[in-house]
Amino acid sequence: MRKISLPLFFLLSFIIVSDVKAKENTAPLIPFPEKVEWLEGKFLLSNETGINVKSNELYRYFISKVNELTGLNFTLKYKPDLNNEVIIKIDSSLGGSNKEFYLLTVSEHIIEIASSFEEGLFRGMQTFFQLIPASVKTVKNGSTVDIPCCKITDKPAFKWRGLNLDCTRHFMTKEFIKQYVDILAYYKFNILHLHLTDDQGWRIEIKKYPKLSQVGSLRKETDGSLYGGYYTQYEIKEIIDYAKSRFITVVPEIEMPGHCLASLAAYPENSCTGGPFEVTNKWGVFNDVYCAGRDSTFYFLENILDEVMELFPGKYIHIGGDEVPKDRWKACPRCLARIKAEGLKNEEELQSYFVKRISEYLNSKGKDVIGWDEILQGGLAPGAVVESWQGMQGAIEAAKLKHYSICSPFAYTYLSNDIESLDLHLTYLYEPVPPGLPADEKKYILGGEASLWTEETLQNEVDGKLFPRLLALSEVFWTNSKNKDYEEFHSRVRKVYNDLTAVGIQYGQESKAISFSSSYNALRKEFMVNITLGQEEFIIHYTINGSEPDSTSAIYNAPVKIIKPSELKISAYMNGHFTGKKIDLLFDFHKAVNAKLTLTERYDDQYRACGDETLIDGIRGSNDFHDGLWQGFYGVDFEGIIDLGKEKNISEVIPRFLSDSNSWIFLPASVEISLSDDGKNYSDAKVIENDIPEKNPEILFKDYKASYDNRSARYIKVFAKSIKQCPAWHPAVGEKAWLFIDEIEVN
Ligand SMILES: [Zn+2]
């Protein structure tokens, strides 16, 4: 009985060593699968490996993709090789009706990918490709490849995992789109949403209306040059077929009734005024939209949609529906006559009539519409899917009405947002299911989409905008939320950069240029400030005496200690030049620093500043609400309770709020401050009213100061009454208003 006679420590050390070995024998998989077990050992993939795939199409795809990634060229073998073989097989006992479920096992002799459906096999192949080390993908010299042994079971959290590419503001070539189809497939996306028409360009050939591409695809830039491009129907077909072979559905978006200047420039008779119009070179929202009073407009759009439906085999056609100004309709006799004849209440209902009429047409051809969340206004057409972009409210309303939705809130999924307002971490925090949605309504959340709007982005800048944040959304849409962990994800992203470089993706930043964290030591009465950089090449120069740092100022190389009220100014330099990136931190040693703060309503993740303790961290914000020091509350009042830990003498409580009405940020109408000894009974309430006119375009702060005559208290309650909605005079009337607060100073 030799085995049981082994000393215990020997057994233990054996187990530990094997665990470490298995841990080293891993690959950075994104999106992370449902279940992964890393095992010891490797499979040696070489030109001699047998490839056993029943489906011809998948076989061709598999060997060409492996060749592309590694340089290996498999030779066709007629006999199975049970010692070194890749088997890709349909096994109808797996995964139930989930077409994307797959099983991937790698042992030293056999690699097996199995699923009930070809789609699952395809997803499993992508995981297999990610097991190939980045070093191999870099040299591609066709030598033997080590694949780590493992056992993976996987299926997606959401069935709609998309990328919306805006090819109107800036055009992208067919070849480029096809490259992105491969990239999307690699990260297990299954929807490519093409934004094909807008004010700045019409990008799809319509045979019945040739002027759409002849006139509508070209715009005159401010320097007089012509900019444009469009896809012929033949090219569209090529993109669709290519995507289909990668199990990606292409969803076309044909915008209506707004965002249609390019179409009206070609056929002005579909407008209210009759034109003439130009394809615009400006960004924004324009008043000229399709006339809802003319039947001929509807026939025109139906004819276009006939050709679109002929090309795109998917179930859904996206008809936009967002940002439709009603000015022209209000002044158009035909539109007003339509409102009367159809018994509609107003122009909002006319928009709903428009969308419903087009939806019914598409329904009659067996298709369903998708529209941005404005299509909820005035009621949804049967079968309509809402793409919720302004927030999650559209998805919540749609689910209540038993309609499906796609969750693409701009704050988390618009990768056109710059990294300062949407970094990798915030992107990863996104959850497509709105919190609090009843269980029986969750099934109406199909999934989500990343969007790249290209006003500021040329084709050669797309990689830098999408990556690495698209990796976060790949995981948000695929990975079960209970398996999500940012730190762990981030460690995989660091490794995946080698993969991205190997396939030529020029990824951009993952975090703000300068980030900081600070901690306060109450015993020593000092702050320690830690600075991290978005780019390794940056050098930080800083000052703590209020002067602007220059290239001769102190260089940051260890946490900065702050021992008295001071202004820490931090500037990022590169190659001796100021990059324009800087942060100013004003340190204040007040009585609430390091206290405990409880918030009644949570701040918005997009403006979370430094998180829960931001408002009592002793650091003041600048007049830029993006500076990472201001915390934002969206459409709600603010209430915070500070627990000082013990009773202290209080002479002043000063919460500071920001006003920046152009950014929908308004001062609270009033702030009420009250004190308590036990945290239950509050007294000494002082109400401070806002005395600054709401309609103030300037950026300014207001201190809502409450003075006390050295009253002793442990708890301080601050309640700020938000105006909640942008007021009547504001361009965003009725939209939610922001409250921004950076500190509650207690003296
Ligand atoms: Zn009209």
Side-chain angles (χ1 to χ4, degrees):
M1 302 299 283
R2 217 183 128 197
K3 271 185 189 164
I4 41 171
S5 71
L6 280 172
L8 185 63
F9 78 86
F10 184 88
L11 276 173
L12 274 176
S13 65
F14 174 76
I15 291 165
I16 290 163
V17 167
S18 101
D19 191 40
V20 169
K21 270 190 185 162
K23 267 186 188 150
E24 282 168 2
N25 200 32
T26 66
L29 303 177
I30 293 179
F32 199 72
E34 186 165 75
K35 198 164 166 240
V36 182
E37 207 182 323
W38 297 107
L39 306 166
E40 264 188 72
K42 292 178 194 306
F43 177 96
L44 300 183
L45 187 72
S46 74
N47 286 330
E48 303 309 313
T49 300
I51 308 293
N52 183 347
V53 189
K54 287 288 174 285
S55 141
N56 276 336
E57 212 149 298
L58 283 181
Y59 175 79
R60 274 197 299 274
Y61 170 77
F62 184 79
I63 56 167
S64 81
K65 192 77 189 175
V66 172
N67 173 260
E68 180 191 318
L69 294 171
T70 66
L72 286 171
N73 274 307
F74 300 113
T75 40
L76 194 58
K77 290 184 193 63
Y78 296 99
K79 272 192 191 159
D81 179 354
L82 295 176
N83 274 317
N84 188 274
E85 190 168 45
V86 178
I87 300 170
I88 299 177
K89 67 169 190 191
I90 294 284
D91 178 345
S92 56
S93 70
L94 296 171
S97 61
N98 191 324
K99 288 191 171 180
E100 300 189 283
F101 177 97
Y102 70 89
L103 212 63
L104 166 61
T105 44
V106 179
S107 69
E108 286 177 4
H109 302 291
I110 300 280
I111 292 178
E112 189 174 283
I113 305 174
S115 171
S116 290
F117 298 89
E118 289 204 342
E119 194 166 346
L121 295 180
F122 185 84
R123 305 285 174 233
M125 284 182 193
Q126 307 307 316
T127 306
F128 168 77
F129 301 146
Q130 293 194 11
L131 293 175
I132 298 170
S135 55
V136 172
K137 291 168 187 158
T138 308
V139 295
K140 303 181 191 18
N141 63 0
S143 58
T144 308
V145 180
D146 290 346
I147 306 290
C149 290
C150 58
K151 186 165 187 219
I152 295 173
T153 317
D154 202 8
K155 65 174 191 294
F158 294 98
K159 57 179 154 192
W160 191 287
R161 306 178 304 276
L163 170 66
N164 165 27
L165 274 183
D166 170 10
C167 31
T168 63
R169 274 55 176 264
H170 283 107
F171 185 64
M172 296 162 206
T173 62
K174 175 195 73 183
E175 287 71 26
F176 182 81
I177 301 273
K178 283 165 71 179
Q179 280 170 22
Y180 256 89
V181 166
D182 280 318
I183 293 168
L184 289 177
Y186 194 76
Y187 293 108
K188 298 193 175 72
F189 286 82
N190 65 349
I191 300 287
L192 173 62
H193 165 177
L194 290 180
H195 186 75
L196 289 166
T197 74
D198 213 302
D199 299 305
Q200 297 82 6
W202 184 280
R203 305 276 176 239
I204 174 173
E205 176 193 26
I206 300 296
K207 300 223 154 108
K208 196 171 173 74
Y209 302 111
K211 280 193 281 180
L212 284 172
S213 40
Q214 287 160 10
V215 175
S217 76
L218 292 168
R219 66 172 180 253
K220 196 186 272 179
E221 298 289 42
T222 43
D223 65 0
S225 64
L226 279 180
Y227 179 91
Y230 69 95
Y231 309 106
T232 63
Q233 292 201 354
Y234 187 81
E235 289 171 321
I236 289 278
K237 196 94 189 68
E238 192 180 326
I239 291 170
I240 293 168
D241 289 345
Y242 192 79
K244 188 168 173 244
S245 71
R246 274 117 183 105
F247 296 88
I248 288 176
T249 304
V250 185
V251 176
E253 182 181 352
I254 308 293
E255 273 267 20
M256 62 188 79
H259 283 289
C260 60
L261 264 182
S263 166
L264 295 181
Y267 296 94
E269 61 270 30
N270 297 311
S271 69
C272 290
T273 65
F277 306 100
E278 279 188 0
V279 183
T280 184
N281 59 20
K282 297 186 180 67
W283 316 129
V285 175
F286 299 90
N287 282 338
D288 287 294
V289 301
Y290 288 121
C291 178
R294 299 178 198 259
D295 283 324
S296 54
T297 305
F298 289 94
Y299 302 144
F300 171 77
L301 289 169
E302 285 165 11
N303 289 332
I304 290 172
L305 290 170
D306 281 346
E307 293 191 29
V308 170
M309 283 185 282
E310 185 71 32
L311 286 165
F312 292 85
K315 184 173 163 56
Y316 294 106
I317 306 285
H318 203 308
I319 58 165
D322 59 317
E323 300 178 325
V324 188
K326 308 296 188 300
D327 308 57
R328 294 292 179 263
W329 289 356
K330 283 180 184 162
C332 170
R334 290 180 191 84
C335 285
L336 295 174
R338 175 83 74 196
I339 289 176
K340 206 169 162 207
E342 296 290 332
L344 306 171
K345 273 203 223 88
N346 50 30
E347 290 75 21
E348 301 301 325
E349 288 200 356
L350 184 58
Q351 170 162 352
S352 173
Y353 165 86
F354 197 112
V355 170
K356 277 185 180 155
R357 182 161 164 178
I358 293 290
S359 302
E360 276 165 23
Y361 183 75
L362 290 171
N363 289 159
S364 76
K365 309 279 176 177
K367 303 278 184 179
D368 280 327
V369 299
I370 304 174
W372 299 104
D373 46 34
E374 285 94 330
I375 68 165
L376 278 156
Q377 296 163 11
L380 278 181
V385 174
V386 174
E387 179 154 21
S388 192
W389 73 276
Q390 301 185 63
M392 297 297 273
Q393 202 52 39
I396 295 168
E397 283 176 42
K400 281 202 172 48
L401 299 166
K402 302 196 185 327
H403 279 255
Y404 288 108
S405 66
I406 299 160
C407 294
S408 315
F410 69 92
Y412 295 93
T413 66
Y414 276 22
L415 302 185
S416 18
N417 291 346
D418 69 21
I419 204 78
E420 299 290 322
S421 60
L422 178 61
D423 61 10
L424 183 68
H425 192 172
L426 181 56
T427 315
Y428 193 76
L429 286 179
Y430 178 55
E431 272 298 325
V433 174
L437 195 73
D440 60 328
E441 290 177 8
K442 282 184 185 160
K443 61 173 185 262
Y444 293 110
I445 308 294
L446 290 177
E449 279 184 6
S451 280
L452 183 64
W453 302 105
T454 56
E455 286 93 339
E456 311 291 339
T457 308
L458 301 170
Q459 177 175 301
N460 63 5
E461 296 163 329
V462 169
D463 286 359
K465 278 286 192 182
L466 289 182
F467 284 94
R469 292 176 293 178
L470 194 65
L471 300 173
L473 289 176
S474 141
E475 196 140 320
V476 165
F477 299 150
W478 179 280
T479 303
N480 193 316
S481 64
K482 65 176 194 290
N483 285 340
K484 277 173 66 189
D485 170 348
Y486 181 73
E487 292 311 319
E488 194 276 329
F489 164 74
H490 188 226
S491 71
R492 276 179 283 130
V493 169
R494 304 299 301 180
K495 293 176 189 145
V496 160
Y497 283 143
N498 295 328
D499 271 58
L500 297 181
T501 305
V503 297
I505 295 174
Q506 297 183 322
Y507 56 90
Q509 303 297 310
E510 62 181 48
S511 60
K512 295 177 186 192
I514 308 171
S515 316
F516 74 92
S517 61
S518 111
S519 58
Y520 181 71
N521 186 319
L523 279 177
R524 294 193 196 152
K525 294 196 165 39
E526 63 187 32
F527 288 98
M528 290 297 272
V529 188
N530 222 325
I531 299 167
T532 46
L533 301 176
Q535 222 168 315
E536 284 170 9
E537 301 86 349
F538 284 170
I539 289 179
I540 291 294
H541 290 286
Y542 71 93
T543 59
I544 49 173
N545 60 7
S547 66
E548 282 305 322
D550 59 29
S551 57
T552 65
S553 307
I555 291 179
Y556 177 86
N557 46 28
V560 180
K561 194 192 287 182
I562 303 284
I563 54 167
K564 59 174 197 237
S566 27
E567 192 170 5
L568 171 62
K569 290 186 169 230
I570 302 162
S571 295
Y573 277 70
M574 196 155 78
N575 305 325
H577 298 288
F578 177 47
T579 59
K581 309 285 183 193
K582 59 180 209 148
I583 309 186
D584 293 351
L585 306 174
L586 199 61
F587 287 87
D588 190 359
F589 290 66
H590 62 79
K591 284 182 179 160
V593 174
N594 246 23
K596 189 167 171 289
L597 174 69
T598 311
L599 298 173
T600 308
E601 292 277 359
R602 194 182 142 83
Y603 45 86
D604 193 273
D605 273 332
Q606 204 188 346
Y607 298 103
R608 65 192 188 284
C610 299
D612 291 357
E613 312 287 286
T614 277
L615 303 181
I616 46 167
D617 64 0
I619 309 174
R620 296 285 191 182
S622 68
N623 62 2
D624 173 7
F625 69 91
H626 279 123
D627 69 2
L629 295 162
W630 289 94
Q631 204 165 60
F633 294 81
Y634 193 41
V636 293
D637 294 325
F638 168 85
E639 187 179 78
I641 293 170
I642 296 172
D643 176 1
L644 297 169
K646 60 178 185 198
E647 291 203 2
K648 289 185 181 175
N649 281 336
I650 292 166
S651 59
E652 287 175 332
V653 178
I654 318 171
R656 176 179 281 185
F657 289 87
L658 181 77
S659 174
D660 182 354
S661 63
N662 287 324
S663 304
W664 310 13
I665 301 168
F666 294 89
L667 291 169
S670 63
V671 175
E672 183 179 318
I673 294 164
S674 48
L675 307 177
S676 166
D677 302 327
D678 57 7
K680 291 179 195 122
N681 303 301
Y682 283 85
S683 60
D684 293 286
K686 295 191 192 275
V687 177
I688 305 101
E689 303 285 343
N690 178 24
D691 53 2
I692 296 172
E694 201 176 66
K695 198 173 175 174
N696 186 324
E698 282 164 49
I699 301 173
L700 48 86
F701 330 119
K702 178 172 168 60
D703 290 339
Y704 288 74
K705 178 163 140 186
S707 297
Y708 293 92
D709 192 10
N710 268 330
R711 153 84 148 87
S712 167
R714 175 171 167 178
Y715 299 92
I716 303 164
K717 187 195 282 182
V718 177
F719 175 80
K721 195 161 181 44
S722 166
I723 67 163
K724 292 207 175 87
Q725 289 188 342
C726 295
W729 55 267
H730 194 271
V733 49
E735 299 289 347
K736 285 184 191 172
W738 287 95
L739 265 189
F740 269 68
I741 174 169
D742 80 327
E743 191 76 6
I744 303 171
E745 182 183 338
V746 178
N747 296 312

